[in-house]
């Protein structure tokens, strides 16, 4: 009768035995595979052991009780695996392999699985790439062949020059503490802050920048107290400027003219408490050519004659007055007023010098200017300046 | 008529009172009298100067000698 299936590899089999040379403990290795403890007859010291006192699976024999080196142990194989039946070449199809039966261990370590056999589309994630992977630069789009894998970190740029195109038009906000060799001639627009010009003092409308790069207050020893352009009036009173801050005052009346009959004399009075008063001693001299002569004087006057003025407003050659008032607030006879007047009408001219003191030593609050002995005519000036000179 | 008052931080215009206007008009009159008096004194002084100079000449002084004495 013919065989159905594979032809057995062996036709006969004889019983065999195994003597264990190393006797100690509970675990032993069988020389042939068995299915269970019934497949062997186990003898300990020539006494057969009950199969339930040991287990035998595959090539593993496990004693229920540990043996010692004094014991003798051997077994007789009653049934054992004696052959491996291999299916014929190219006879196993997909149907013979159970789903999930092919494990990783079944794939040879050197197997070259074709890429086409792997379904890798959109499945490789960053974690699948080894941390020490040396990916070739040619595999990274946009990375120059000369680049190394870590050149995208700016801290790894150790040489070379960044081209201008790599700098943004507007530089980022960053500390310039370490910038050196800045050339001030490259500043073409903008305003340098005042705090960049000096390190000491405070910039303000009343300070100036000194050569030692410090802001300093303007010297106020000679102070402009007022600057005015009064309109024409019968009298012009300059009052309220005299304080204890100053000892000496200067009054400049520039471009004066007047209208007073046919004879325009400049007259002035002292103010006491804001009002013009009388009672002065004064003397005024006139320079005519090279000759000086007494022109007017009075020891108890109601006003002082200070000279002449041009009697045409807007003339190019008008009168100018400089007046010095020394210690106006003094209540003794040390208060003194000196004045100089000059005028030129294009044909005639005159220069007058005079001094004046109060008869009764009153504190002076100001000066009142008029023309023609304080008559009905008007006086005017292009500019009147009042200065004070500090006493400390 | 008005008066101007210049103060350190302001300038003020004030109309003259009737009394002040009247005083100014009186001052005009007084001033004109003063000018007339000054003019008369000036004429008298010039006349005296010319008369004195002539008398010195009559005494035999020349112009340089007279100038040295009178200053003119």
């Amino acid at each position: 009768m013919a065989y159905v299936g594979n032809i057995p590899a062996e036709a006969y089999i004889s019983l065999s035995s195994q003597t264990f040379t190393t006797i100690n403990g509970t675990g032993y290795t069988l020389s042939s595979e068995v299915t269970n403890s019934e497949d062997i007859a186990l003898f300990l010291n020539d006494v057969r052991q009950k199969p339930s006192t040991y287990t035998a699976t595959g090539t593993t024999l496990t004693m229920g009780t540990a043996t010692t080196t004094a014991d003798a142990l051997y077994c007789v194989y009653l049934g054992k695996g004696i052959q491996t039946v291999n299916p014929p070449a190219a006879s196993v199809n997909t149907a013979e392999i159970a789903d999930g039966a092919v494990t990783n261990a079944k794939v040879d370590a050197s197997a070259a699985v074709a890429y086409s056999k792997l379904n890798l589309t959109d499945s490789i994630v960053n974690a699948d790439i080894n941390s020490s992977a040396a990916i070739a630069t040619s595999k990274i789009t946009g990375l120059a062949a000369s680049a190394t894998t870590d050149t995208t970190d700016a801290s790894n740029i150790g040489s070379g020059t960044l081209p201008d195109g790599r700098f943004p038009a507007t530089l980022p906000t960053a500390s310039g503490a370490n910038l050196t060799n800045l050339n001030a001639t490259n500043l073409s627009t903008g305003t340098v802050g005042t705090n960049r010009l000096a390190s000491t003092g405070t910039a303000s409308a009343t300070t100036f920048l000194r050569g030692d790069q410090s802001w300093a207050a303007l010297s106020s020893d000679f102070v402009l107290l007022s600057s005015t352009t009064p309109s024409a009036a019968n009298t012009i009173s300059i009052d309220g400027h005299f304080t204890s801050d100053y000892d000496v005052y200067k009054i400049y009346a520039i471009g004066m003219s007047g209208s007073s009959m046919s004879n325009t004399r400049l007259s002035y009075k002292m103010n006491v408490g804001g009002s013009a008063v009388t009672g002065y001693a004064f003397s005024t001299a006139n320079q005519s050519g090279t000759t000086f002569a007494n022109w007017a004087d009075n020891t108890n006057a109601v006003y002082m004659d200070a000279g002449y003025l041009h009697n045409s407003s807007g003339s190019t050659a008008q009168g100018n007055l400089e007046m010095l008032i020394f210690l106006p607030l003094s209540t003794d006879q040390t208060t003194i007023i000196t004045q100089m007047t000059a005028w030129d009408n294009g044909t005639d001219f005159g220069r007058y010098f005079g001094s004046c003191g109060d008869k009764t030593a009153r504190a002076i609050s100001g000066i009142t200017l008029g023309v023609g002995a304080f008559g009905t005519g008007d006086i005017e000036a292009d500019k009147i300046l009042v200065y004070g000179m500090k006493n400390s | 008529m008005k008066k101007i008052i210049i103060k350190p931080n302001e300038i003020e215009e004030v109309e003259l009172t009737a009394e002040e206007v009247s005083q100014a008009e009186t001052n005009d009159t007084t001033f004109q009298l003063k000018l007339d008096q000054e003019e008369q004194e000036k004429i008298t002084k010039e006349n005296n100067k010319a008369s004195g100079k002539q008398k010195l000449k009559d005494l035999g002084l020349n112009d340089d000698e007279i100038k040295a004495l009178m200053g003119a």
Side-chain angles (χ1 to χ4, degrees):
Chain A
M1 172 178 174
Y3 282 95
V4 176
N6 293 326
I7 300 171
E10 299 290 341
Y12 303 100
I13 186 170
S14 299
L15 293 179
S16 62
S17 65
Q18 177 183 357
T19 300
F20 301 95
T21 57
T22 300
I23 310 302
N24 189 17
T26 57
Y28 298 91
T29 300
L30 300 173
S31 59
S32 297
E33 290 189 354
V34 298
T35 301
N36 53 48
S37 57
E38 306 292 347
D39 286 346
I40 59 173
L42 184 64
F43 296 87
L44 178 61
N45 299 324
D46 296 326
V47 177
R48 184 169 183 174
Q49 301 297 303
K50 191 175 181 180
S52 62
T53 63
Y54 58 90
T55 61
T57 302
T59 60
T60 301
L61 169 64
T62 303
M63 299 295 289
T65 301
T67 59
T68 67
T69 56
D71 293 329
L73 183 66
Y74 69 93
C75 72
V76 176
Y77 289 95
L78 304 177
K80 61 179 181 181
I82 58 172
Q83 66 175 9
T84 299
V85 178
N86 296 320
S91 64
V92 178
N93 295 310
T94 297
E96 278 74 38
I97 302 173
D99 292 345
V102 178
T103 64
N104 190 55
K106 297 298 184 292
V107 181
D108 189 84
S110 61
V113 179
Y115 177 82
S116 59
K117 298 298 190 298
L118 301 174
N119 183 14
L120 300 177
T121 303
D122 200 25
S123 62
I124 296 177
V125 298
N126 191 55
D128 295 330
I129 301 174
N130 190 281
S131 59
S132 61
I135 300 174
T137 56
S138 60
K139 297 297 186 293
I140 302 175
T141 300
L143 197 61
S146 59
T148 58
T149 55
D150 60 355
T151 54
T152 53
D153 184 345
S155 64
N156 293 323
I157 300 175
S159 62
T161 302
L162 289 175
D164 292 348
R166 297 281 70 74
F167 292 94
T170 301
L171 294 175
T173 301
S175 170
N178 294 324
L179 291 176
T180 58
N181 295 328
L182 296 176
N183 191 334
T185 60
N186 293 325
L187 297 176
S188 58
T189 60
T191 302
V192 177
T194 55
N195 54 350
R196 299 277 71 77
L197 299 176
S199 57
T200 59
T202 302
S204 74
T206 59
T207 58
F208 68 97
L209 181 62
R210 300 195 322 189
D212 61 356
Q213 290 187 295
S214 63
W215 296 106
L218 291 169
S219 172
S220 58
D221 294 340
F222 192 60
V223 181
L224 177 62
L225 301 177
S226 69
S227 173
T228 53
T229 301
S231 56
N234 180 252
T235 60
I236 297 175
S237 173
I238 304 164
D239 202 273
H241 298 78
F242 304 157
T243 68
S244 59
D245 292 337
Y246 311 94
D247 279 341
V248 183
Y249 297 85
K250 283 271 193 175
I251 296 175
Y252 296 94
I254 302 166
M256 287 197 299
S257 60
S259 59
S260 172
M261 299 178 287
S262 60
N263 190 319
T264 305
R265 286 192 182 183
L266 171 63
S267 308
Y268 73 91
K269 294 182 178 181
M270 296 181 186
N271 292 352
V272 173
S275 300
V277 295
T278 62
Y280 324 104
F282 81 95
S283 176
T284 300
N286 174 30
Q287 178 198 13
S288 175
T290 59
T291 302
F292 287 88
N294 182 43
W295 177 66
D297 55 54
N298 195 318
T299 57
N300 191 21
V302 296
Y303 66 90
M304 274 76 73
D305 289 311
Y308 281 90
L309 296 180
H310 201 301
N311 60 1
S312 176
S313 174
S315 170
T316 55
Q318 301 175 37
N320 297 314
L321 167 70
E322 179 188 40
M323 181 176 285
L324 182 147
I325 304 98
F326 187 73
L327 292 176
L329 300 181
S330 175
T331 54
D332 56 28
Q333 294 294 344
T334 58
T335 299
I336 188 168
I337 299 173
T338 61
Q339 91 281 339
M340 294 185 291
T341 306
W343 71 282
D344 182 353
N345 66 4
T347 303
D348 297 322
F349 66 92
R351 303 185 186 95
Y352 301 85
F353 310 87
S355 63
C356 171
D358 186 21
K359 287 279 290 183
T360 52
R362 295 164 290 190
I364 305 304
S365 66
I367 298 294
T368 296
L369 302 176
V371 291
F374 288 92
T376 56
D378 277 353
I379 183 174
E380 63 181 280
D382 293 339
K383 179 78 73 177
I384 293 182
L385 306 170
V386 183
Y387 290 91
M389 283 177 272
K390 281 197 170 181
N391 48 23
S392 61
Chain B
M1 291 191 292
K2 64 183 179 182
K3 58 183 175 183
I4 299 288
I5 302 173
I6 298 172
K7 296 181 178 179
N9 297 311
E10 62 177 331
I11 184 167
E12 185 179 355
E13 289 187 10
V14 180
E15 287 295 324
L16 295 184
T17 64
E19 182 181 356
E20 290 171 327
V21 172
S22 176
Q23 182 62 55
E25 292 170 347
T26 300
N27 290 344
D28 278 344
T29 301
T30 304
F31 184 52
Q32 188 59 58
L33 291 174
K34 179 183 177 181
L35 292 178
D36 292 344
Q37 182 182 352
E38 286 178 354
E39 183 63 23
Q40 187 57 49
E41 289 175 351
K42 182 179 178 182
I43 293 172
T44 300
K45 189 175 181 180
E46 290 294 324
N47 288 339
N48 289 338
K49 187 176 180 180
S51 173
K53 189 174 181 180
Q54 185 59 49
K55 287 178 180 175
L56 289 173
K57 278 189 175 181
D58 292 344
L59 290 174
L61 278 68
N62 60 36
D63 288 343
D64 290 339
E65 291 169 331
I66 294 171
K67 186 176 182 181
L69 287 173
M70 300 179 64

